[in-house]
Amino acid sequence: LGLNGLFDLPAADDIMPSMLATDNGLLSAVWESMDDYGGTYGTDADIFHALGLAKLFSRPAPINTSAQFDNPAVGFDFDRSPRFAVDPQGVLHAVWESQYAGLAGGLAGADGDIYHATFSPAGWSAPQLVNSNGASDAGLDSMPDIAIDQNGNICVVWASEENIGGTLGTDFDILYSVNGGAGWSFPA
């Protein structure tokens, strides 16, 4: 799926794939890539997506809108651990971890936060910050997963080192947030 596979550099890994089939028969894949796609994107990790039918897949395109602008020179502007799901209306939803502080209008720091975007015929939406405490937290939030119930409520879980309210400690704990259409709930 990573069309540069035959031409990329040995360190340009494509990893963490996730695939699903929609009700209309399309296949959809997301993955993490270190490939710069011929200099179009940075050499840091970015999240890519391709749609397919049988053996034919679209050209990979980044989900993280920062792929062209984030800066691997600072050492931490990576996006990783993509997961996605389809809602009852057939809309694709993706979640991932990013350490790029410029996503979602710069609402979060560079400590690693969880983001969400949706896919439409126009492409991927601008990322939304899922862990709504991301502007003030200091703990790493990583390894998200997503599920959508029959009512369209988007549920995201992830591992976090954030000591929310001084009650969790700084070891990794599992947090979740739900978006029923009015925004993301505070992580619990």
Side-chain angles (χ1 to χ4, degrees):
L1 295 179
L3 298 177
N4 279 5
L6 297 174
F7 310 106
D8 61 2
L9 299 173
D13 293 330
D14 294 304
I15 59 173
M16 303 288 295
S18 182
M19 181 177 270
L20 58 79
T22 62
D23 287 342
N24 63 4
L26 285 176
L27 297 173
S28 190
V30 294
W31 67 94
E32 175 184 329
S33 180
M34 300 287 286
D35 191 354
D36 69 359
Y37 284 82
T40 305
Y41 308 108
T43 55
D44 62 323
D46 290 305
I47 307 301
F48 285 86
H49 171 253
L51 286 173
L53 188 61
K55 294 181 180 181
L56 301 173
F57 275 85
S58 67
R59 178 174 213 70
I63 292 176
N64 58 305
T65 54
S66 63
Q68 294 174 324
F69 309 110
D70 54 358
N71 182 3
V74 301
F76 296 106
D77 277 358
F78 61 79
D79 300 89
R80 64 181 187 183
S81 302
R83 293 290 178 262
F84 66 144
V86 178
D87 71 19
Q89 289 75 42
V91 175
L92 289 171
H93 295 257
V95 293
W96 70 96
E97 169 198 347
S98 180
Q99 290 199 352
Y100 178 57
L103 279 181
L107 294 177
D111 59 318
D113 292 294
I114 307 302
Y115 291 89
H116 167 263
T118 58
F119 185 75
S120 72
W124 287 96
S125 68
Q128 295 179 332
L129 184 64
V130 173
N131 57 308
S132 56
N133 63 327
S136 61
D137 73 342
L140 175 65
D141 297 289
S142 63
M143 298 175 280
D145 203 358
I146 183 171
I148 302 173
D149 69 19
Q150 69 274 11
N151 296 319
N153 295 307
I154 308 161
C155 307
V156 176
V157 298
W158 67 93
S160 179
E161 291 180 310
E162 182 62 25
N163 186 8
I164 294 179
T167 60
L168 298 178
T170 56
D171 63 324
F172 276 102
D173 295 296
I174 304 302
L175 299 180
Y176 73 93
S177 183
V178 177
N179 187 335
W184 293 100
S185 64
F186 191 79

